[in-house]
Amino acid sequence: MEKEELKIVNKDEEDEMELQGYRVCRWRVAVVSLGVLCTGGFLLLLLYWMPEWCVKATCTRTTVREAEVVLLQSTDDFKRWFLAKVRVMLAPGRNPFDTQIKKVSALVIFANILISFSLQIRYFTLHSTKYYWNDEVHNFEVLTGLEDREVTCSTVHSEHSTGLTSNQQEYRRLFFGVNEIAVKVPSVFKLLIKEVLNPFYIFQLFSVILWSADEYYYYAAAIVFMSVISIATSLYTIKKQYVTLHDMVSAHSIVRVSVCRANIEEALSTDLVPGDVMVIPSNGTIMPCDAVLISGTCIVNESMLTGESVPVTKTNLPNPGEGDKEGDAAYSMEEHKRHTLFCGTHVIQTRFYSGELVKAVVVRTGFSTAKGQLVRSILYPKPTDFKLYRDAYLFLLCLVAIAGIGFVYSIVLSIMNNTIIIESLDIITITVPPALPAAMTAGIVYAQRRLKRIGIFCISPQRINICGQLNLVCFDKTGTLTEDGLDLWGVQRVEKGTFHMSEENAYKDTLVKSQFVACMATCHSLTNIDGKLSGDPLDLKMFEATGWILEEATEEETSLHNRIMPTVVRPPKQLMPPEPVMSPEQDMELYDLSSAYEIGIVRQFPFSSALQRMCVVARLLGEKRMDAYLKGAPEVVASLCKKDTVPEDFAEVLEDYTKQGFRVIALAHRRLESKLTWHKVQNVNRDQMEANMEFLGLIIMQNKLKAETSGVLQDLRRAHIRTVMVTGDNMLTAISVARDCGMIPPQDQVIIADALPPKDGQAAKITWRYADNPSKHVGKAPRLEINLEDVHHTHKPQEQYHFAMSGKSFAVITEHFQDLLQKLVLHGTVFARMAPDQKTELIEALQSVDYFVGMCGDGANDCGALKRAHGGISLSELEASVASPFTSRTPNISCVPSLIREGRAALITSFCVFKFMALYSIIQYISVTLLYSILSNLGDFQFLFIDIAIILLVVFTMSLNPAWKELVSRRPPSGLISGPLLFSVLTQILICLGFQTIAFLWVRHQAWYHIWTPQSDACNSSLRANLGPEHNSSEERDDHNIKNYENTSLFYVSSFQYLIVAIVFSKGKPFRQPSYKNCEDHYLHQFNAAVSVLVEWGIFIVFFAVSFALFSLLLSCCFQGGIDLWGAKCLSWLCCRRRKVPKARYMHLAQELSVDPDWPPKPTTTTEAKHPLPGNPTENGSSYQIMADS
């Protein structure tokens, strides 16, 4: 088939997939049906497990346009397959936003008549998302909503603010469907069928049939009993999860809303479609869709999405107008999120004007909404990529191969001795442990419970194991490393381009009418909720420092005025200067008006993380002209001000404050033209408003470290876990805080990378400058060096250095210095002024050099980074937040080492359990193989005793060990395929094989030994003598040859081996608490040991088992730990002392940089990007060159 028939859907997105078209072939279906009958349904199961085989076996390739079935494969590392049936829908048109349509209701009423001239729309549904065929691009596409039309902000106001007609709404609903996030709770029968068809339970069914055919009824019944309990538990858990998710989603999914049709009508939220205009009630509501505000203001609680409980102010979308094409950008939910109300968020209250309702245009509905996408990610989670799970499958394949060898051996024995071949299949069920999946999850379940007890909630349990591998943690600064609340340290005003002396506060009567205080009092997004000021903590501190009062208009006041100011701020009377005495001629009302000093906030431009600033338009009572007030990052505010108003020593003053760790906010002001009326201000572009400002001065905020921060970071450094700061704050402030908390030791050097994009034909370049020399007289601090085991270092001195860069520099380096980026993140410690999407890019850059990355933030601006990291921890009061896999109710970073410790304990538990289960199957395999040589086997109750009394209880009790009390510098291995782990398993296998073989042969050389026959029954000769001949005649024949000396000996020896191997593999320090603290496990071993001690030969077996135990434990203690430390070095020495290349890319990079004379860059150098000519690649593949500054 031609290559063009391989289409890509969801291109460049997280769920990108390749798509192929197929048509059902009848003769192939007939052949497959015959194969299903011949294989007793097994072929059907195989096709159910392998959807790609099913499609290729029953269909033929065709063009995607004519496909009846589509086969999709994800383009990520997992390469998952999906199949979907293509359906056909009749519609009056192909474009859901087409205005020239027929009456849709007629389509339903006269369906039979309209079939001939209605258009056929082809689509398929996958993961609750519909993909429609688009003839223009010749591919299937997802209809997300209004953004598909790439509408501009002015178009939203001009073309979509009036709402839809009933016909338009019905027509669009054909394409977008019902506005509902439908989480269907499957019936118990469907869940049961899906669960039973799991390969694991099919294998269990095969085992049960096999054991029953071989007359092992008790053991088969035990397997059935355990499987039923396992299935019932699994069904209960899955059903409960579905019900919980369904209840959470459907709680407010269907509500009555007011929509604009010809008039304002009441409708169900399920009828909403993109383009509808809904009226937001004044008393608030739960949003049933994603919508953009076109009039009014809303106070919204977005904690469901972000984990941030602070209410957010949403303002109406700016309307640049037809004349301003430059400022008329296309609407984007991400860029205009401060104007967008997201589905599932709670609108607490609204702000509106008389005659104007608070309206919002519906942008997305159903599963396309922000909440819908989150629910979809829960319903269809991405597989967890971890080396442990990949290695586990390889290990199981090895066990299957061993089972195959035993199967062939047993068949040969069966043919030679004319026995039943069905017994040969027993060996397969023995070698592959059926309880392995349940055993592997036990440690994770216990770890999740322990985390919950310390206030850490997890929505992705599989990530607990991955957290055990974290070797780098990124931290947000404000609210994470430092206190959430800021204290006002002082202000420094500017007049006529010159700084005044710093002042302790602005709470002075001499400043009450200054523009500086007016900016502090108005430039915020605070609101009164239930009589209490609420909003951003920084805004709250700044406003409280003025001592002013904030008043908001009530609904009654709004109805009395045409242009009422929604929010008014005024100073208290005690701060106002003395009022002049009223003359008898003055009117009382005019006197009160002239003496009043109130400022009304006319419009807000909310704070934007990308722009790093916010702005408001305000008007002083009695004034005709309005004022614009601006606050934000000092560098950004200064760039928007007139140059003559910014002091010449601005950079020096700012640097002085930031070096001391203060958080600095700059203020600016602009007097607006008198022609700007209230209505014009509502539609003016933000960029026009924030130009030619006058610089007012600086607010200096003190951001104190949390008490736990320094100690936790020191613990992480001792454990050789790198720490990185990712913040939206100023660079020098971030460096200062990093030094204060110990992230950067005082004696280490900080190199700041200032990157500039290409300009005027010049290439992009990076200027390197060193921060002030650190102090040398401090005490010794814990050092963190990249661990390069087995790497021979040169004699180059190892100077400790850290890179720091801003978000702008990071963007330039990412675009123009790709091969330099990985070297920078290797020692990058401070990343300042980072936008939310840049935080995610940084996480990806760190992961690209093989770091296991954790991220700890407050959940507000860190959602993307928290989800992208291997272990994202959101500090939130909520029990579980969809913002990240882990949510900690502890409001500090002490949860990070706790999570890593529990992750390490769970990971080691998984290794221990896996190794034990593998040894359990191998030990039993050895026993059965030896017994097969004499045409014997273990008995029904012997199998039952081993699996129930020993294995099951040991597995679940050996998973109970809690985490070790402190972090150590060693990390647990990430996979099973490693030297130390394989060595420990192989040595134990050899020991078990040796001791069982010795026992098997030794018993046959005893003087009292003779071959068992039904007549002799040597194992029970004393019993037979006591019972007499009557019992002998009635005794049942032993057809399986179980009652013999070899069987008894191997059963006792193997029973001890299971217990001793469990002890050997129950690794404690340094990742878990020792096993002797696990009471259940300790008493269990004592009980099982006591049960296994029996008479004459049993006493010898006990001595024999003790010898085995001592030998195993001695080997484990002496060699297992030594292999971890010295095994790789011995291997390197044996391999002609060849230099070992580290597996992790960051280690390989560190090894290269340790011998690079030009690294780190010198402070007098500039790195410039090179543009290679076509056909002439740059030297050594480098895209940059280092030049000395002149």
Side-chain angles (χ1 to χ4, degrees), residues 773-1080:
N773 289 329
S775 58
K776 302 290 185 183
H777 58 276
V778 293
K780 290 184 179 179
R783 312 285 296 174
L784 175 63
E785 298 176 6
I786 292 172
N787 190 13
L788 284 175
E789 293 182 6
D790 319 309
V791 176
H792 298 282
H793 297 284
T794 62
H795 293 292
K796 176 184 173 183
Q798 291 293 310
E799 181 184 352
Q800 289 295 306
Y801 57 91
H802 304 259
F803 287 111
M805 67 190 75
S806 65
K808 289 180 180 178
S809 296
F810 180 78
V812 173
I813 293 168
T814 303
E815 185 175 355
H816 300 284
F817 299 89
Q818 271 291 337
D819 52 345
L820 186 63
L821 177 63
Q822 291 188 341
K823 296 179 181 179
L824 288 174
V825 298
L826 194 66
H827 284 275
T829 302
V830 175
F831 295 85
R833 298 294 188 211
M834 295 285 279
D837 57 331
Q838 288 178 325
K839 293 182 180 182
T840 307
E841 289 175 17
L842 174 63
I843 297 294
E844 291 172 347
L846 290 165
Q847 289 173 337
S848 70
V849 291
D850 298 335
Y851 274 115
F852 283 89
V853 185
M855 174 73 195
C856 184
D858 58 8
N861 295 319
D862 308 317
C863 290
L866 288 167
K867 289 179 181 177
R868 182 70 64 189
H870 292 108
I873 315 165
S874 172
L875 305 182
S876 173
E877 293 181 1
L878 302 176
E879 278 201 2
S881 169
V882 288
S884 66
F886 299 94
T887 305
S888 172
R889 297 184 72 177
T890 307
N892 58 65
I893 63 171
S894 61
C895 59
V896 175
S898 299
L899 177 61
I900 296 174
R901 285 190 298 105
E902 288 295 346
R904 289 181 174 185
L907 184 56
I908 289 297
T909 298
S910 296
F911 285 133
C912 295
V913 169
F914 194 94
K915 290 194 294 181
F916 173 72
M917 293 299 292
L919 258 295
Y920 144 64
S921 60
I922 294 296
I923 291 170
Q924 199 167 78
Y925 172 79
I926 293 169
S927 301
V928 172
T929 305
L930 289 171
L931 290 174
Y932 273 13
S933 66
I934 61 167
L935 305 180
S936 179
N937 200 350
L938 291 174
D940 198 354
F941 283 101
Q942 286 175 320
F943 277 120
L944 202 61
F945 176 80
I946 291 170
D947 277 19
I948 304 298
I950 299 179
I951 305 303
L952 196 64
L953 293 178
V954 168
V955 161
F956 285 103
T957 52
M958 76 186 295
S959 301
L960 288 172
N961 299 45
W964 187 248
K965 51 185 176 290
E966 61 184 24
L967 279 176
V968 294
S969 57
R970 283 176 56 198
R971 280 193 303 139
S974 59
L976 288 164
I977 311 301
S978 64
L981 287 172
L982 287 178
F983 181 83
S984 65
V985 171
L986 290 173
T987 50
Q988 292 298 327
I989 289 175
L990 292 174
I991 295 168
C992 293
L993 175 62
F995 273 80
Q996 284 203 46
T997 305
I998 292 170
F1000 180 77
L1001 297 175
W1002 202 345
V1003 70
R1004 308 184 79 179
H1005 287 81
Q1006 299 304 309
W1008 39 261
Y1009 173 82
H1010 57 86
I1011 298 174
W1012 178 90
T1013 61
Q1015 288 75 26
S1016 65
D1017 196 8
C1019 288
N1020 293 299
S1021 56
S1022 60
L1023 181 65
R1024 288 170 54 87
N1026 293 331
L1027 291 174
E1030 294 179 2
H1031 185 271
N1032 295 341
S1033 58
S1034 62
E1035 190 178 47
E1036 293 182 5
R1037 290 178 58 83
D1038 182 9
D1039 294 330
H1040 290 285
N1041 188 11
I1042 291 170
K1043 299 175 182 177
N1044 55 67
Y1045 293 116
E1046 292 91 342
N1047 176 293
T1048 305
S1049 301
L1050 289 181
F1051 173 66
Y1052 288 160
V1053 170
S1054 63
S1055 295
F1056 275 103
Q1057 285 182 337
Y1058 298 129
L1059 298 173
I1060 293 161
V1061 164
I1063 297 171
V1064 169
F1065 285 157
S1066 289
K1067 198 170 183 179
K1069 187 179 178 180
F1071 303 117
R1072 304 196 308 166
Q1073 297 281 358
S1075 294
Y1076 63 79
K1077 291 189 177 180
N1078 188 343
C1079 297
E1080 295 87 350

Side-chain angles (χ1 to χ4, degrees), residues 527 529 728 1163 1184:
T527 184
I529 298 177
Y1184 62 89

Side-chain angles (χ1 to χ4, degrees), residues 55-68:
V55 173
K56 291 175 181 177
T58 58
C59 304
T60 56
R61 283 291 297 271
T62 183
T63 61
V64 175
R65 191 184 190 285
E66 298 173 350
E68 296 176 355

Side-chain angles (χ1 to χ4, degrees), residues 229-258:
I229 292 176
S230 177
I231 291 172
T233 306
S234 181
L235 287 181
Y236 173 78
T237 304
I238 295 171
K239 181 85 171 179
K240 186 179 178 181
Q241 289 173 348
Y242 269 109
V243 170
T244 303
L245 187 60
H246 175 269
D247 293 344
M248 182 189 79
V249 171
S250 64
H252 304 285
S253 61
I254 302 177
V255 294
R256 296 202 68 83
V257 293
S258 299

